[in-house]
Amino acid sequence: MELYRAFQISAAGMKAQGTRLRVAAENMANADSLPTAPGQEPYRRKILTFKNVMDRESGVDLVKVNKVYDDKSPFGMKYEPSHPAANAQGYVQTPNVSAMIEMMDLREAQRSYEANLNVIQSSRSMLLQTLDIIR
């Protein structure tokens, strides 16, 4: 039963970190996108939050993605007077995405995903060794 819980907790963690990886990758992909017309906003960075959810069947707290929402931090400004979305002063709004922050978030999510995968592999190995002992 304890190995089942380890599998369940790690699988939930992997799923949550997978979502985190997708959100950070989306942010990175849109980091240089600009609006196409005056008055439009550029891409707005997405952020996610996690929550603990009690699995009543096994009595274990699992991590889940709570919500993915837009980051309300201000957009950057870039001087580009020839751009179609430039304001009267020649500035265009740029996405509120920092490549450095997204790279750190991607790396942290990757490491967390790998840690959960290692727990599953270790649990599987212990289960197989236990079965070998019983035989």
Side-chain angles (χ1 to χ4, degrees):
M1 187 61 162
E2 293 301 319
L3 283 176
Y4 170 74
R5 288 180 179 171
F7 285 130
Q8 193 177 21
I9 292 168
S10 294
M14 288 174 67
K15 186 175 180 182
Q17 294 302 330
T19 302
R20 184 176 173 197
L21 284 165
R22 283 190 296 280
V23 168
E26 179 183 334
N27 289 339
M28 286 290 292
N30 289 293
D32 295 324
S33 63
L34 297 175
T36 56
Q40 288 183 341
E41 288 189 342
Y43 175 81
R44 190 171 285 280
R45 180 176 184 249
K46 298 200 180 347
I47 301 174
L48 59 86
T49 58
F50 298 111
K51 67 178 176 179
N52 285 339
V53 177
M54 173 64 84
D55 180 53
R56 294 177 193 263
E57 185 178 311
S58 62
V60 174
D61 274 338
L62 302 175
V63 66
K64 301 272 184 184
V65 172
N66 182 36
K67 184 169 123 176
V68 177
Y69 61 95
D70 291 339
D71 181 359
K72 299 297 182 187
S73 64
F75 293 118
M77 297 297 274
K78 178 179 179 183
Y79 185 71
E80 200 169 320
S82 63
H83 193 279
N87 64 15
Q89 292 81 29
Y91 287 92
V92 178
Q93 288 183 322
T94 59
N96 59 347
V97 176
S98 167
M100 183 65 76
I101 291 173
E102 298 306 323
M103 288 300 293
M104 290 186 311
D105 203 30
L106 281 167
R107 188 72 175 142
E108 186 179 335
Q110 176 189 6
R111 287 181 177 168
S112 296
Y113 187 93
E114 289 172 354
N116 282 302
L117 182 59
N118 285 336
V119 169
I120 288 176
Q121 290 172 339
S122 297
S123 298
R124 181 178 179 269
S125 175
M126 286 188 293
L127 179 63
L128 291 175
Q129 288 175 359
T130 301
L131 289 174
D132 286 343
I133 291 171
I134 294 172
R135 291 182 196 169

